[in-house]
Amino acid sequence: MSVVPSAAVGGGPLLLWIRAFAPGQPVPCPAPTDLEEAGHPVATLDLPLRWGDDATPGGLHGQIVDAVEDVRKRWDGPVVVGGHSFAATLALYALAHIPGLASAIACSGCYNRSLTPTGFHYEKRTYWDAPDIYDAFSALRFADRIDRPVLLVHGAEDRNPATPPEQTIGLYRAVVAAGGRARLVLLPHEGHEFRYRETHEALAREHRDWLGRF
């Protein structure tokens, strides 16, 4: 695990962008650089989890919470955690389990792992072999604990079988139904990764407006 801060510690709000890929693997959606240009500090947290064949929710919980908490405690100001795809789930998991975080930005995630029952990301066991892991990493299951604002972003034409836009729409409805606060942004003509200049410009405004709240 490593933290690569792009600004000196202090001030805020800080966007802590989680990347759930092992070193050397391509990262489809890096941390939003537009925020640095607008004066918002950004840090990247590389979080390739130690996820063995016998991984348990408790062991994975400690890795996620400890890594995010280490950054939060060293930042003098609000921390907003974010991520794309599987890292979006990690960001929401951190928000639900770390009281000191201010908010989350989650892009193009899968939030109900019972819909991917034959494995996901690092997990090779089936849902029936490890239901506790699938539940632990389904944000829909802990939507009632997402009690700080979340910005949920998804490409409206995401054709990745695990991450159709309905995943984000369902989570948005669950968070609101549980009394939480959320903003849903569906990006027209975009898939799992965001390609168009107009999209990035619109998303830059969303990011700046969102962090401006804190």
Side-chain angles (χ1 to χ4, degrees):
M1 299 179 188
S2 61
V3 176
V4 184
S6 58
V9 174
L14 170 73
L15 174 62
L16 178 61
W17 195 258
I18 297 174
R19 301 189 303 189
F21 294 82
Q25 288 185 325
V27 180
C29 287
T33 56
D34 58 276
L35 295 175
E36 293 178 326
E37 297 169 359
H40 289 291
V42 180
T44 300
L45 174 60
D46 289 325
L47 191 54
L49 296 168
R50 298 186 299 278
W51 194 308
D53 294 338
D54 58 349
T56 64
L60 297 170
H61 172 90
Q63 295 180 58
I64 298 165
V65 170
D66 290 350
V68 175
E69 272 280 51
D70 180 62
V71 181
R72 188 191 67 81
K73 290 178 179 178
R74 293 189 288 114
W75 187 263
D76 183 18
V79 175
V80 175
V81 66
H84 179 272
S85 196
F86 183 62
T89 294
L90 298 183
L92 293 169
Y93 187 96
L95 185 72
H97 293 87
I98 301 176
L101 295 173
S103 174
I105 298 174
C107 300
S108 300
C110 175
Y111 307 120
N112 182 359
R113 281 297 170 188
S114 69
L115 300 179
T116 60
T118 58
F120 64 92
H121 208 68
Y122 300 113
E123 183 54 62
K124 306 305 180 186
R125 292 168 291 183
T126 68
Y127 175 81
W128 302 277
D129 292 328
D132 54 343
I133 288 285
Y134 282 75
D135 288 347
F137 290 91
S138 294
L140 195 64
R141 299 281 294 188
F142 54 81
D144 59 326
R145 298 187 60 177
I146 301 175
D147 56 0
R148 280 140 291 157
V150 291
L151 174 61
L152 301 172
V153 180
H154 213 113
E157 297 181 13
D158 188 345
R159 292 184 171 83
N160 183 344
T163 57
E166 287 76 15
Q167 287 270 4
T168 291
I169 295 170
L171 180 62
Y172 168 79
R173 290 172 175 166
V175 170
V176 173
R181 293 163 290 170
R183 174 170 171 77
L184 173 65
V185 177
L186 296 177
L187 303 172
H189 313 299
E190 290 289 3
H192 189 63
E193 301 172 21
F194 311 145
R195 300 172 295 170
Y196 297 112
R197 177 176 55 82
E198 294 83 359
T199 297
H200 287 281
E201 291 174 349
L203 198 52
R205 291 191 294 271
E206 288 286 347
H207 287 152
R208 289 194 294 267
D209 290 348
W210 189 257
L211 266 73
R213 301 182 180 195
F214 306 101

